[in-house]
């Protein structure tokens, strides 16, 4: 009945939000990737900054794979 339809609508909305969340994380991950590349090219950037970027990238990647299950 109505209850089942409502559950399906909620599940559908959640999966759309879920997909959007994954897309956002992937975009952030790509942005970080290019920031890391830029940091390597720039003589002014320090190792600490680069390692922070890499840690953040890893955290995002783990979050993406967790959500993608």
């Amino acid at each position: 009945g109505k209850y089942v339809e409502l559950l399906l609508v909620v599940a559908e909305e959640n999966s759309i939000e879920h997909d959007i969340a994954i897309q956002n994380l992937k975009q952030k991950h790509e942005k970080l990737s290019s920031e890391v590349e830029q940091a390597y090219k720039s003589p002014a950037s320090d190792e600490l900054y680069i390692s922070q970027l890499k840690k953040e990238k890893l955290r995002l990647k783990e979050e993406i794979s967790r959500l993608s299950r």
Side-chain angles (χ1 to χ4, degrees):
K2 285 258 182 247
Y3 185 66
V4 173
E5 287 172 27
L6 185 65
L7 281 179
L8 289 173
V9 168
V10 169
E12 185 65 29
E13 282 177 5
N14 282 346
S15 75
I16 292 169
E17 285 173 11
H18 183 260
D19 291 347
I20 290 170
I22 292 174
Q23 283 307 113
N24 286 342
L25 288 171
K26 285 182 175 175
Q27 285 173 346
K28 285 181 185 171
H29 187 268
E30 283 175 26
K31 189 169 178 276
L32 277 172
S33 289
S34 50
E35 281 182 34
V36 168
E37 277 181 43
Q38 288 302 315
Y40 274 127
K41 291 175 186 167
S42 164
S45 58
D46 59 351
E47 292 296 314
L48 182 65
Y49 174 68
I50 292 174
S51 73
Q52 285 172 336
L53 288 177
K54 285 182 167 181
K55 275 186 192 148
E56 183 65 13
K57 258 182 74 175
L58 184 61
R59 193 184 64 75
L60 286 171
K61 191 171 184 164
E62 287 169 352
E63 187 70 11
I64 291 166
S65 68
R66 190 178 67 78
L67 287 174
S68 297
R69 282 194 204 123

